[in-house]
Amino acid sequence: MLGLPVANLSGTLARLRWQIPAFIAVVGLAYVLASLALLERTVSFWPQVLFGIFVLGGVGPVFAWRTLTWALVVARARDEAARELRSRNEQCSVMNAIARAVNRSLDLDEVLNLALDKTLELMRLEAGEFRMVDDSHLVLRVHRGVSREAIAGSCEVHLGECLCGAAAAKGELMAVDDLGESDSTSLPWCRTQHYRAVLSLPIQSKGRVSGVLHLASRTPREFTSHDRQMLASIGHQIGVAVEKASLH
């Protein structure tokens, strides 16, 4: 069992912690019934029956269940540690890829496209945009998963409008885990794209907001504190790319 893959070990223990106690209880019941049939007239009849009821029917299943439950807790802790390690490795890979792109290229669109692709892959999200601040507007610069109708029409968002405009105006990360639970008149741009979960991260360069990284899912999604910390690091790299491009 110890040689099983991490994902399979927890599932196996979750099944066995009920199956093994049930098997021991069935064996105990069979033992008692056999004792009733075979030892009915012997002097040692009752000790055999009590042994079957108490040990095999009670103590054995409870002990097995508690032992396997403890093993399941340990296996799930190992699963969580393995997932956390994979997440950290993926995050480091994304950060390194973006940093290499920032260092080797003066083409801002190249860096933004790579950063958006890597971030969506890392976050397992379906859609994303990067909008640059242009006076009182946010102008779409690169995008993934945005409808053709939106691209063909006006893609500008006023500062303070929708989630990305509000994030740019306030200079702080903003997120909604489920648009279905909010006011139906809020976040008009996001609703036209049928987004359900959205997050907007303002990008700082030269001490001011120069753009917004806007990420979205078409299903509800909780953005954890770990997600926010990770995106803040990615946003810093994008800010460096924006500042570097402006200098050249």
Side-chain angles (χ1 to χ4, degrees):
M1 185 182 297
L2 294 178
L4 289 173
V6 170
N8 292 341
L9 181 58
S10 294
T12 301
L13 287 171
R15 292 190 300 272
L16 290 179
R17 75 165 176 159
W18 297 107
Q19 293 173 354
I20 291 179
F23 175 76
I24 295 173
V26 169
V27 170
L29 177 61
Y31 181 85
V32 170
L33 293 176
S35 298
L36 289 172
L38 300 176
L39 304 174
E40 184 177 2
R41 298 178 182 177
T42 67
V43 176
S44 60
F45 166 67
W46 284 110
Q48 298 289 344
V49 171
L50 292 175
F51 174 81
I53 294 174
F54 181 71
V55 177
L56 297 178
V59 175
V62 171
F63 178 78
W65 184 85
R66 289 179 63 88
T67 301
L68 290 168
T69 298
W70 172 82
L72 179 60
V73 169
V74 173
R76 285 176 174 169
R78 192 180 75 164
D79 291 354
E80 183 62 29
R83 282 192 294 269
E84 179 69 16
L85 179 60
R86 286 196 299 270
S87 175
R88 296 291 182 184
N89 288 338
E90 289 174 358
Q91 180 182 348
C92 289
S93 176
V94 168
M95 294 297 298
N96 289 337
I98 296 174
R100 286 195 299 270
V102 171
N103 290 329
R104 75 166 182 262
S105 177
L106 297 176
D107 186 343
L108 181 58
D109 285 341
E110 178 185 346
V111 177
L112 292 178
N113 276 296
L114 182 142
L116 185 56
D117 285 338
K118 291 292 185 180
T119 302
L120 291 176
E121 180 183 352
L122 178 64
M123 297 287 293
R124 293 170 178 80
L125 294 172
E126 307 147 36
E129 311 154 13
F130 184 82
R131 294 176 176 271
M132 296 291 296
V133 174
D134 183 9
D135 292 330
S136 62
H137 296 80
L138 290 174
V139 180
L140 191 64
R141 185 72 177 255
V142 298
H143 58 85
R144 298 291 184 274
V146 180
S147 68
R148 293 181 179 180
E149 292 78 11
I151 302 303
S154 174
C155 292
E156 291 187 352
V157 174
H158 291 276
L159 291 181
E161 179 186 8
C162 210
L163 192 72
C164 51
K170 295 182 179 180
E172 59 186 48
L173 184 151
M174 303 182 71
V176 178
D177 295 337
D178 188 358
L179 281 176
E181 298 179 353
S182 61
D183 179 7
S184 61
T185 62
S186 64
L187 310 186
W189 165 264
C190 297
R191 291 186 184 280
T192 62
Q193 301 304 301
H194 305 291
Y195 297 155
R196 287 294 299 272
V198 286
L199 180 146
S200 289
L201 174 69
I203 302 302
Q204 303 273 350
S205 62
K206 295 183 179 179
R208 64 180 181 86
V209 176
S210 57
V212 174
L213 178 64
H214 187 63
L215 306 173
S217 170
R218 292 187 170 88
T219 57
R221 157 75 182 267
E222 179 185 2
F223 295 102
T224 65
S225 58
H226 174 67
D227 293 336
R228 295 165 186 252
Q229 293 170 3
M230 177 176 60
L231 288 171
S233 299
I234 293 174
H236 175 72
Q237 291 285 352
I238 296 175
V240 172
V242 172
E243 186 167 346
K244 184 178 178 182
S246 68
L247 291 175
H248 291 81

